[in-house]
């Protein structure tokens, strides 16, 4: 289900999530790698997590509706 939810993310949002949670990098490290500010990393991460939360809720509701 999480993999399905990830499909709604734009590549730049997905990249920040993966670097944060899978590569265990700090926002500063990610910013340096991507050549953007730490604030931009923070905004991308916040947006990505919000979209993932919304998408997972929609998927949960959809699955519950079919039961």
């Amino acid at each position: 289900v999480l993999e399905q939810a990830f499909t709604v993310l734009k590549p730049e949002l997905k990249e920040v999530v993966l670097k944060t949670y899978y590569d265990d990098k700090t926002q500063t490290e990610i910013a340096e790698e991507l050549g953007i500010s730490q604030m931009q990393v923070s905004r991308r991460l916040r947006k990505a997590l919000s979209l993932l939360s919304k998408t997972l809720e929609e998927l949960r509701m959809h699955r519950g509706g079919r039961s």
Side-chain angles (χ1 to χ4, degrees), residues 1-2 6-7 15 17 22 28 33-34 40 50 54 63:
V1 174
L2 186 57
F6 258 80
T7 64
E15 182 176 34
V17 171
Y22 288 96
T28 301
E33 275 187 33
L34 300 179
Q40 287 175 303
S50 176
K54 180 180 176 183
R63 290 180 77 195

Side-chain angles (χ1 to χ4, degrees), residues 2-65:
L2 186 57
E3 189 174 301
Q4 188 177 1
F6 258 80
T7 64
V8 303
L9 296 180
K10 292 181 180 180
E12 63 269 15
L13 299 179
K14 189 182 300 186
E15 182 176 34
V16 170
V17 171
L18 293 175
K19 287 181 182 295
T20 299
Y21 294 105
Y22 288 96
D23 297 340
D24 199 30
K25 294 189 177 198
T26 66
Q27 289 185 6
T28 301
E29 290 171 328
I30 296 167
E32 289 173 0
E33 275 187 33
L34 300 179
I36 61 176
S37 71
Q38 180 273 324
M39 183 60 71
Q40 287 175 303
V41 172
S42 179
R43 287 181 183 137
R44 287 182 186 185
L45 185 58
R46 185 172 56 244
K47 184 174 183 176
L49 294 177
S50 176
L51 284 169
L52 283 173
S53 177
K54 180 180 176 183
T55 302
L56 287 169
E57 180 62 24
E58 289 171 359
L59 289 170
R60 187 187 68 78
M61 298 275 285
H62 180 70
R63 290 180 77 195

